[in-house]
Amino acid sequence: MEKESEVGMSKSLISELNKLSGDIFEVIKHNKGSYVHRRGDCAKHIYRIDHGTIRICNINKDGKEFIVKDLTAGEWFGLIGCFGSGKRPNDAIATNDAIVSRIEFKNILELLNINPPLYLSCCNQLAYYAEHYYNLAESAVFESLYDRTLMMLRQLCLWQKTQEVKITQKELAGLLGVTKEAVGIQLNKLKSNGLVKLGYGCIEICDR
């Protein structure tokens, strides 16, 4: 199975999607804090980020946020809702001013019908999503929060392509599904062990 080091679409699927005519895309500008879609919305489109950052997350009734991934320009999202229940499983929020192109799912189905091998790419992609979320659930049971925090920081290094990741403790807590206070304790342990350096709105990883 072709995999990426992030919660995004495989390169083969992206390559085919990027060949689609620009005439079938609708370009939408989103201001910082605006929703591309909300959890529970009807899933009729998939999306490509042309500029800015879109956060895939869920926020419960108490305001606690679980962050799945911050997606940036060139990345696609929206596949799970379209192929799954027909409803969006999460929120997609612009974390800064963004431009997003969207395409109706029916056009994707037409592409698949004339290019059957792409069905396999879609199946592989959905299987990867399932594996990714299973691994998150498994690590929450078997791994200590200390180890999970360090693993997440290493993953963020890959996503952001830097040793000094731009993230707040609140956002890191959202990615791990725990409280800010719990993350703060683990970061101080990592700092004491010489594995990270803490800054304002950033964390430098020293063990890679």
Side-chain angles (χ1 to χ4, degrees), residues 37-43 58 86-91:
H37 62 67
R38 295 178 184 268
R39 182 178 184 178
D41 284 353
C42 186
N58 279 319
K87 300 290 184 181
R88 295 297 178 196
N90 42 43
D91 297 324

Side-chain angles (χ1 to χ4, degrees), residues 50-75:
D50 298 322
H51 174 77
T53 304
I54 303 297
R55 173 165 293 170
I56 308 300
C57 63
N58 279 319
I59 303 174
N60 70 8
K61 61 181 180 181
D62 298 321
K64 184 178 179 180
E65 183 179 36
F66 174 68
I67 302 171
V68 178
K69 176 74 166 63
D70 285 345
L71 302 175
T72 56
E75 296 190 84

Side-chain angles (χ1 to χ4, degrees), residues 192-203:
S192 297
N193 291 334
L195 297 175
V196 302
K197 294 179 182 178
L198 305 180
Y200 183 75
C202 65
I203 303 170

